[in-house]
Amino acid sequence: AQKVTQAQTEISVVEKEDVTLDCVYETRDTTYYLFWYKQPPSGELVFLIRRNSFDEQNEISGRYSWNFQKSTSSFNFTITASQVVDSAVYFCALRAPNSGGYNKLIFGAGTRLAVHP
Amino acid sequence: DAGVTQSPTHLIKTRGQQVTLRCSPKSGHDTVSWYQQALGQGPQFIFQYYEEEERQRGNFPDRFSGHQFPNYSSELNVNALLLGDSALYLCASSPRGGRDIAEAFFGQGTRLTVV
């Protein structure tokens, strides 16, 4: 079975604090893809990053960084020096092509991040 | 270039009624997927359409049906509405048969409220 767990329902921080959003996934596929999306109040899901199961390199993009660890089945997302504009719901998602999931994303329940001035 | 366009943005229906939601994909995209997002939850895959056919379906009853038109736009139909169908319905479009999900663009969704 495929599953994505985001244990943090809500996180509240003050601007300029660093914050890490946790994501734990389950799949029996050896080839799979992990994603992070941002959902602002307007509703659309904005793609942030994709990682495939063969690439465990951490990635940094500006204030965003991602830590992928297959040993713990985790794909955590860190925002450095958070800003009010980072306030949104963040979703971690899994695509497991060989388990009937070729065409779909399996999402976690999301983490609502509130950044206060 | 317009992105993914969904209509209407909000809708209120009564239990037992039927509803049709519409999605126009991003220009150049030929694949449309529909997701249901209940309040406080992550999106759940309903189905995907490619070449005017349903290619894959999630765990949703037959009350949920869809259609894709030759211009790649799509409709989601829900019959015999239940209170539990209240949710944000998201449409995502992809190019090239949806080969690369990372290329999927999501619309802003239709907020359906069933009373």
Side-chain angles (χ1 to χ4, degrees):
Chain A
Q2 280 69 239
K3 187 178 178 182
V4 175
T5 301
Q6 295 180 254
Q8 305 150 307
T9 305
E10 292 190 34
I11 300 176
S12 182
V13 299
V14 176
E15 215 171 11
K16 298 183 184 176
E17 280 186 31
D18 298 347
V19 58
T20 295
L21 310 181
D22 297 333
C23 172
V24 174
Y25 62 92
E26 294 176 31
T27 180
R28 291 182 181 175
D29 279 24
T30 54
T31 300
Y32 53 89
Y33 303 84
L34 297 164
F35 302 77
W36 276 94
Y37 285 87
K38 175 181 180 180
Q39 187 176 45
S42 53
E44 78 277 17
L45 288 169
V46 178
F47 167 77
L48 296 177
I49 191 171
R50 172 189 57 187
R51 259 289 173 266
N52 70 50
S53 52
F54 299 111
D55 184 1
E56 286 195 71
Q57 274 193 324
N58 291 331
E59 178 150 341
I60 298 175
S61 176
R63 297 183 297 108
Y64 295 170
S65 62
W66 290 269
N67 184 352
F68 177 28
Q69 293 196 338
K70 285 179 74 172
S71 60
T72 56
S73 297
S74 65
F75 186 42
N76 297 336
F77 172 31
T78 297
I79 301 175
T80 303
S82 59
Q83 299 176 1
V84 172
V85 293
D86 295 327
S87 297
V89 181
Y90 290 86
F91 291 98
C92 180
L94 166 71
R95 177 189 179 209
N98 297 323
S99 302
Y102 183 83
N103 299 312
K104 68 179 182 181
L105 290 165
I106 298 161
F107 287 87
T111 297
R112 180 176 298 278
L113 174 64
V115 182
H116 302 283
Chain B
D1 174 28
V4 179
T5 305
Q6 292 188 243
S7 62
T9 53
H10 295 82
L11 201 53
I12 299 176
K13 288 288 191 179
T14 304
R15 268 183 306 177
Q17 285 188 317
Q18 179 263 344
V19 70
T20 297
L21 311 182
R22 295 176 176 83
C23 173
S24 292
K26 182 177 169 61
S27 177
H29 287 194
D30 57 11
T31 305
V32 173
S33 302
W34 287 92
Y35 288 80
Q36 179 196 64
Q37 185 180 4
L39 199 60
Q41 301 295 318
Q44 301 273 329
F45 177 78
I46 303 175
F47 41 50
Q48 184 182 81
Y49 276 83
Y50 173 64
E51 293 187 332
E52 302 180 47
E53 290 191 357
E54 182 183 293
R55 181 157 70 174
Q56 187 172 6
R57 188 179 186 92
N59 294 326
F60 280 81
D62 292 344
R63 297 187 298 109
F64 289 78
S65 63
H67 189 78
Q68 185 179 35
F69 299 93
N71 66 353
Y72 308 121
S73 66
S74 176
E75 289 181 348
L76 164 64
N77 301 293
V78 187
N79 293 324
L81 284 167
L82 305 174
L83 295 179
D85 295 330
S86 296
L88 178 68
Y89 288 84
L90 292 165
C91 169
S93 73
S94 311
R96 302 181 298 123
R99 226 164 289 166
D100 186 349
I101 285 188
E103 297 174 313
F105 280 76
F106 283 82
Q108 293 189 340
T110 293
R111 172 73 62 188
L112 172 65
T113 302
V114 182
V115 299

